[in-house]
Structure formats: C-alpha cells, structure tokens
Amino acid sequence: MEIRVLDTTLRDGEQTPGVSLTPDEKLRIALRLDALGVDIIEAGSAITSTGEREGIKKITSEGLSTEICSFARAVKIDVDAALECGVDSVHLVVPTSDLHLEHKLRKSREEVLQQAVDCTEYAVDHGLLVELSAEDSTRSDMEFLKEVFRQGIQAGAKRICACDTVGMLTPDKSFEFYGELSKLKAPLSVHCHNDFGLAVANSLSGLKAGATEVHATINGIGERAGNAALEEIIVSLYSLYDIKTNVNIQMLYETSRMVARMTGVYLQPNKAIVGENAFAHESGIHADGVIKKAETYEPITPELVGHQRRFVMGKHIGTSLLKKRLQELGLKVDENQLIQIFNRVKSLGDMGKCVTDVDLQAISEDVLGIMEEKMVDLEEVTIVSGNKVIPTASVKLKIDNNEILEAGVGIGPVDAAIVAIKKSISDFADVTLEEYHVDAITGGTDALIDVVVKLRYEDEVVSARSTQPDIIMASVEAFLSGVNRLLGDKIKDGSLKKIPDEK
C-alpha cells in the first residue's frame, strides 16, 4: 500500500494566527520539505497577495523533485494566479455543505456543482493537475458530495480530497466516511483538522478505509487547533501499521525544530515524536529500564526520528540513572558521595525544580568538595529579617561533639548568619571572610545559587563553595566548609587553643 503525503505547512500551516512567512522563509521551508521527501508541497494560495506569489515562484524556480501545488478556490482568477506562479497542480477547493452554501456562498447546490466542473476543466485545459477538494465535506450530504466528485473526475480531476474542516469526525466515523468515498475508485485524500484532538487518529482511520493520500502540517500547525501532525502520522504508519512512505523519518525532528523557529510556534514539551520530552525520562524505574533495554519504556528509538534520549534529574530519579549521568559528565563518586548527591537532587525535586546538567555538575562538585569529615557541623539556622527589622540569625553548631548556640545581627540575613557562626567559633579561632562571591547557576527565580568564599586563619587562606537553591544556606554551608578545611585537623588533634577571654 503506497501512501502519498501532501504537506500544507506553507498554506494551511501559515494560517496559524500570528504566523506570516516571507518569500525567502517559504523557500527555506520548501527546500527542507523537498529533502524530507514529501510527495506534494502546497506552497500557498497564489491569489492571496503579491508576496505570496513571489514566494511560490521562488519555490517553483528551484526545480524541486516534489510536486508543487497552489490552493485555489473554484474561480478562474485563482487558477490564473496559480498558473502565473508555474505550479504543477492546484488544490481546487469548493464548499459542499449546505451550511457553507447557504451562509457563506449563498448559492445553490447546482450552482456550486457547475462552478466546480467549469473550474476543473479550465485548470486541466491549462495544463494543471487538479486535486478537487470538498470543504466541510464531513457535514455535507453524502450523495451530493459524491456527485461533485464524480463530475469533477469526469472533468479531468486526477485526485479528490474530502476535508474535515472543523474536525467533526471520530476515528470510527472517519473509517465509514472515507470508506464510502473510496468506492468512487479515484485517488482519495484525507484532510483532517484537530479541533477535538483527533486529526491524526481520523487521518489514520481514513487511510485504513482506502484513502491513498494524507494532508498534514509539520508540528500540526494550522488555524484554530491546527491540522494533523505530519510527524505523528508518518511514524505511526511506519511503526504501528508497517507502512512506509517516501518521507525520510530521520529528518523529522530537525524539520520540526526548523519550522518552529521560523514560524515562532513552539511546541509543548510533551508533543509526541518531536517534543523535547518525547524521549525524556525521570522516573527511577523507567530510567533504569531504558538504560538496560530502551524498548522497556520507549516504543521507538529517538534516533529513528533524529531525536535524542534525555534523562531528567528530579524527585523521581533513581540512583542507577544518577550514577550513569555522573559518569557521562566525567564525575567519579563513591557510594557515600552518590547518596549525598542523590539526596540533594531529590530535595530540589520536592521543591518543584528539575535539575539540569549544569545544576548537577555544581551539586556534584559541591558534594565532592565537602565530603571530608566535618569537625564543625551545622545543626540549625534561623533567620529573622524584614521591613524595619534588624536582620538577626541564630545558629546551632556541633563542634567536636559539643553543641554551641549563638546569635548575631548584620546588615542582611547572610551577614547576620556569618556573624553568628564567627561568634560560635570565636573561642577557638578568629576566621576572617576575605572574599564572598555569588552566582545563579541557571536562570529563573528557582535557580541554584553558587556561593564561593575565601577565608583566612592566621597565615592560611582557603576557598570553599556551596550550591543550594537558598542563598542563605549556600552562604552558611560555604563558610562552614571553609572553616572545616582551615580548622578541622587542628580541632581534631587539639592544637587549637581556646582564645582567652578579654579582661
């Protein structure tokens, strides 16, 4: 079974609200669609404007292997505009529902039928291949619809198309509808809109019923809820129906991204086949399964469509995925360090944050730098700060198994916390904060904060860092990490002497 693909990204897709492509942009997309291997490119509607005709002419002048088509109403001026552009064919559209005839055209069935026949003959006589299309066909009287197609075929139309203009079909109705039209024994096209989210399902049902061509757009763009998504149809035919088309499946992802960039219509992350999360895994069970055997939680490989597998770090992560990702980032950790990093990632996930590779790198470097035995450990920190309130901090530290509680005030909450810590260790050492630097690792109000400090004790200077979503905790942990590196061994071996109380 051979299925032909008409891509209408440049016509129906461009009717997406807010999308308007320049002639050069149309050409770039057409070149990509030609390379992709679609059978027909509906390059636009030639009658629309001078700019539209310029765009279509640019495409037809390239000598592409793909058939180039123009949309046309069943009026001679539309056909003349298409002829001026040098297209191979016209998608000749005539409304067939009584709703459209009465309220839009205000013409009788007989008048519309004659108009369709006359215009088809005119286009054929001028050397154009005609695909005769019925607008709002799914709300049309079936006998009248078939009569329009019969007479259109007799007038020279080579293909017929029934449009589900407002997405009224369901998959079972689509099978019956296109099955009935396939009895006309002419090449039949499916053209479905996505108003109820069923465009792809209805298109597949129509093809199963006997249609041999499908109309679709890249990413499913189009007016209102859009059209049937080309990438979903192609991959479904290939993977679920074992039907191949002329489309190069491995180019789908890059084509999708190109169209998204040029139209400004970006995809939701969970978009099937080409969305950024289409092959992303976070759940520990799922990720572990994919690592061991991709088919456990992926129906197709990302490579099939030119995509990439991605593992997301969040609260559902498992240690197997985390360990694998750390190895890929070139970070060697032992089991104790792995658990520390795992707990930090889980904690961030509980706050509603997904951890990027940059976040993970910072967290890992932080953990790898502070995993030494701590002689000075934070047990609790409390901050009071606000309008007309002097920032105050209280900290509880455990120093060599002794609990010390101190409070401090400062010009801000971070300063107050550092003052309280310095008071807590003042009996042992006078540690000086020489430098303090803070960076947001990633964007957004929930970004990880990376704090780097430089501390001095006597003649020794060390740098330390901490990465946390909270700037106060990051600052406190960085300061204490530096303190441990400066004083830890001295506290442990008893070489630190208590500073005498001033008299």
Side-chain angles (χ1 to χ4, degrees):
M1 180 180 181
E2 182 183 352
I3 301 296
R4 290 166 56 84
V5 178
L6 181 148
D7 183 281
T8 183
T9 301
L10 297 178
R11 200 274 300 175
D12 235 344
E14 196 191 15
Q15 290 176 202
T16 302
V19 174
S20 181
L21 298 168
T22 67
D24 286 336
E25 287 171 336
K26 282 205 164 199
L27 175 59
R28 287 179 59 194
I29 293 175
L31 290 170
R32 176 60 65 91
L33 293 174
D34 182 59
L36 183 65
V38 301
D39 300 284
I40 307 155
I41 297 173
E42 188 171 27
S45 177
I47 195 62
T48 299
S49 67
T50 301
E52 183 81 340
R53 287 189 289 279
E54 181 186 346
I56 297 173
K57 287 176 183 178
K58 279 179 176 283
I59 295 169
T60 57
S61 66
E62 287 291 323
L64 304 180
S65 57
T66 304
E67 177 186 318
I68 307 302
C69 176
S70 172
F71 176 93
R73 297 168 300 172
V75 290
K76 292 182 179 180
I77 58 169
D78 282 32
V79 176
D80 289 337
L83 287 166
E84 179 191 333
C85 296
V87 296
D88 304 304
S89 61
V90 283
H91 178 207
L92 195 64
V93 180
V94 58
T96 54
S97 71
D98 290 336
L99 179 66
H100 277 232
L101 299 187
E102 180 181 349
H103 296 283
K104 187 176 77 172
L105 294 185
R106 297 183 179 174
K107 292 184 177 181
S108 66
R109 290 184 179 183
E110 291 72 20
E111 288 175 302
V112 168
L113 176 57
Q114 191 59 52
Q115 187 176 342
V117 169
D118 291 345
C119 211
T120 297
E121 289 176 343
Y122 182 79
V124 171
D125 288 345
H126 285 77
L128 291 172
L129 185 152
V130 173
E131 179 164 326
L132 181 60
S133 193
E135 184 181 13
D136 203 27
S137 63
T138 52
R139 292 190 294 186
S140 301
D141 175 73
M142 178 56 78
E143 288 308 313
F144 175 62
L145 178 63
K146 288 197 288 188
E147 185 60 26
V148 170
F149 285 144
R150 285 193 197 98
Q151 294 201 30
I153 294 166
Q154 291 173 5
K158 297 298 183 183
R159 303 190 295 257
I160 57 174
C161 174
C163 300
D164 187 21
T165 303
V166 291
M168 297 293 289
L169 287 175
T170 61
D172 54 341
K173 289 180 180 177
S174 178
F175 185 82
E176 294 174 5
F177 177 77
Y178 286 103
E180 184 66 24
L181 292 176
S182 68
K183 295 176 183 178
L184 295 172
K185 303 300 181 184
L188 172 64
S189 300
V190 179
H191 182 113
C192 295
H193 284 258
N194 204 40
D195 295 79
F196 288 90
L198 296 172
V200 170
N202 290 337
S203 296
L204 293 171
S205 290
L207 292 172
K208 186 177 180 181
T212 55
E213 180 180 301
V214 61
H215 291 198
T217 61
I218 301 297
N219 300 335
I221 62 173
E223 54 191 325
R224 303 188 314 281
N227 290 45
L230 182 144
E231 61 282 351
E232 294 176 26
I233 291 172
I234 297 303
V235 176
S236 294
L237 287 172
Y238 178 87
S239 298
L240 304 178
Y241 293 88
D242 196 27
I243 295 174
K244 296 180 181 179
T245 64
N246 292 323
V247 172
N248 182 347
I249 296 180
Q250 290 185 331
M251 290 181 62
L252 286 173
Y253 177 61
E254 276 305 315
T255 303
S256 164
R257 292 182 63 188
M258 176 189 182
V259 170
R261 287 193 305 269
M262 295 187 70
T263 61
V265 181
Y266 291 95
L267 304 181
Q268 71 270 28
N270 63 328
K271 170 74 167 63
I273 310 299
V274 291
E276 289 307 305
N277 288 353
F279 300 95
H281 306 273
E282 180 186 333
S283 166
I285 296 173
H286 284 207
D288 184 55
V290 168
I291 290 169
K292 293 173 180 174
K293 185 73 170 174
E295 290 88 338
T296 53
Y297 290 104
E298 287 179 349
I300 59 172
T301 65
E303 293 80 12
L304 176 68
V305 296
H307 211 327
Q308 288 184 328
R309 183 176 296 111
R310 187 166 60 92
F311 293 109
V312 179
M313 308 292 135
K315 68 179 181 180
H316 302 108
I317 192 177
T319 53
S320 296
L321 168 59
L322 180 60
K323 187 173 183 178
K324 182 177 186 295
R325 193 69 195 116
L326 289 169
Q327 290 172 344
E328 291 171 348
L329 292 172
L331 296 166
K332 295 181 180 179
V333 298
D334 59 30
E335 288 303 311
N336 191 20
Q337 293 165 336
L338 177 64
I339 295 302
Q340 291 291 322
I341 297 169
F342 176 75
N343 290 335
R344 292 271 285 270
V345 172
K346 283 270 191 180
S347 177
L348 288 169
D350 284 336
M351 297 177 190
K353 180 173 176 62
C354 283
V355 179
T356 66
D357 282 348
V358 177
D359 294 333
L360 183 61
Q361 184 94 25
I363 291 169
S364 302
E365 290 173 355
D366 186 23
V367 169
L368 292 172
I370 65 173
M371 281 300 294
E372 67 272 1
E373 185 179 358
K374 296 178 181 179
M375 299 304 296
V376 181
D377 201 5
L378 177 69
E379 291 202 329
E380 186 179 318
V381 60
T382 303
I383 302 291
V384 178
S385 182
N387 188 29
K388 298 183 180 179
V389 175
I390 297 175
T392 305
S394 65
V395 297
K396 183 192 288 187
L397 301 180
K398 181 175 282 188
I399 302 179
D400 198 18
N401 294 320
N402 297 311
E403 285 190 352
I404 297 177
L405 181 65
E406 276 290 357
V409 297
I411 59 173
V414 171
D415 186 45
I418 299 301
V419 168
I421 293 171
K422 290 182 68 175
K423 288 175 68 176
S424 300
I425 63 173
S426 62
D427 281 352
F428 298 93
D430 183 16
V431 175
T432 304
L433 175 64
E434 293 207 334
E435 290 184 20
Y436 174 87
H437 183 74
V438 61
D439 272 322
I441 295 293
T442 48
T445 57
D446 62 347
L448 283 179
I449 304 300
D450 189 39
V451 173
V452 179
V453 297
K454 183 181 286 185
L455 305 183
R456 175 184 292 274
Y457 174 62
E458 296 178 342
D459 294 329
E460 189 175 358
V461 177
V462 299
S463 293
R465 72 188 298 172
S466 179
T467 306
Q468 297 280 349
D470 185 304
I471 189 172
I472 297 172
M473 289 306 301
S475 302
V476 168
E477 288 203 357
F479 192 90
L480 287 176
S481 177
V483 167
N484 273 299
R485 294 174 64 183
L486 282 170
L487 309 180
D489 290 340
K490 295 180 175 63
I491 294 173
K492 191 174 183 179
D493 64 20
S495 62
L496 266 182
K497 302 300 181 184
K498 189 172 182 178
I499 298 173
D501 293 333
E502 293 184 2
K503 302 296 184 183

